[in-house]
Amino acid sequence: AVSRLSPREQLLLGGATAALVLLTLTLTIVGIRTSLAERESRISVKQEGLAQVLQFSSGFREAEAERRRLKAKLRGAKQVSLVSMMEELAKGQGVSIAKMTPRRPTTKKGVTETSVDVSLEPLTIDHLSAILNGLARAKGVVKIRKLRLRKKFNEKEKVDASFTIASYALEG
């Protein structure tokens, strides 16, 4: 059928066929590139998600290790008498306790917290520092939960201190 066409028509038919093949090839390449770009984008999003999961798992491992360390420390800790410890520390520094009020022990998730509100007045920063360091070095798990200082206006080198200390132990 092509042989019956004139040379000019054969040339036009060949050109049209070549253009059609070229158009089909171009559309195929563009489709493949678009598909690859979409897949690369999805891969990138999934890689970011994976990096975030790895970061979270690292943070989780650190938090879990800290939890185990604290639980081991609590397991070995015995309930500390905060009132007598505070009296000894204050006596050792020559400081009088203005007020000391024990709070009712509370238990959450198997951990018993015993706390005491303490008011000391007036004392120097050095004495307060020694008392707080003594609490931090205490046997068992003892934390200073709240600390409030008020400067004495009539005695510039002294402060009134009030704070809450707490000790923790595993229940049972």
Side-chain angles (χ1 to χ4, degrees):
V2 176
S3 58
R4 284 193 258 156
L5 297 175
S6 68
R8 182 172 182 225
E9 289 173 337
Q10 287 178 356
L11 184 62
L12 281 173
L13 182 61
T17 304
L20 185 60
V21 168
L22 190 61
L23 178 64
T24 304
L25 190 61
T26 302
L27 289 177
T28 303
I29 291 173
V30 167
I32 290 172
R33 280 189 173 178
T34 302
S35 175
L36 284 175
E38 288 173 358
R39 287 184 182 177
E40 286 175 355
S41 173
R42 285 193 303 256
I43 288 171
S44 172
V45 167
K46 288 180 181 181
Q47 284 176 335
E48 290 172 4
L50 180 61
Q52 196 173 29
V53 166
L54 291 174
Q55 182 181 10
F56 287 148
S57 73
S58 167
F60 175 76
R61 278 190 224 106
E62 291 171 6
E64 183 66 16
E66 178 68 12
R67 186 189 68 78
R68 284 189 189 127
R69 185 188 68 75
L70 286 174
K71 193 168 186 175
K73 189 174 179 182
L74 281 173
R75 197 171 286 125
K78 293 189 171 51
Q79 198 66 34
V80 177
S81 173
L82 295 173
V83 172
S84 61
M85 180 193 318
M86 195 57 228
E87 287 172 345
E88 288 175 24
L89 288 169
K91 184 178 177 184
Q93 292 299 315
V95 174
S96 63
I97 298 174
K99 184 178 178 185
M100 189 160 36
T101 310
R103 291 186 176 184
R104 176 170 285 171
T106 59
T107 302
K108 288 183 182 175
K109 297 182 181 180
V111 177
T112 302
E113 175 191 75
T114 306
S115 59
V116 176
D117 295 324
V118 180
S119 293
L120 305 172
E121 55 182 56
L123 73 160
T124 64
I125 293 294
D126 293 335
H127 288 137
L128 177 63
S129 176
I131 290 171
L132 295 177
N133 284 329
L135 288 170
R137 286 190 303 270
K139 291 185 179 179
V141 181
V142 178
K143 300 287 181 192
I144 302 159
R145 292 190 34 146
K146 219 181 349 183
L147 173 64
R148 186 165 70 204
L149 301 175
R150 277 169 271 151
K151 191 172 183 178
K152 299 289 285 180
F153 291 106
N154 55 349
E155 298 176 82
K156 298 287 185 190
E157 70 281 348
K158 294 190 177 186
V159 293
D160 289 339
S162 59
F163 51 90
T164 302
I165 53 177
S167 69
Y168 302 89
L170 284 179
E171 188 178 42

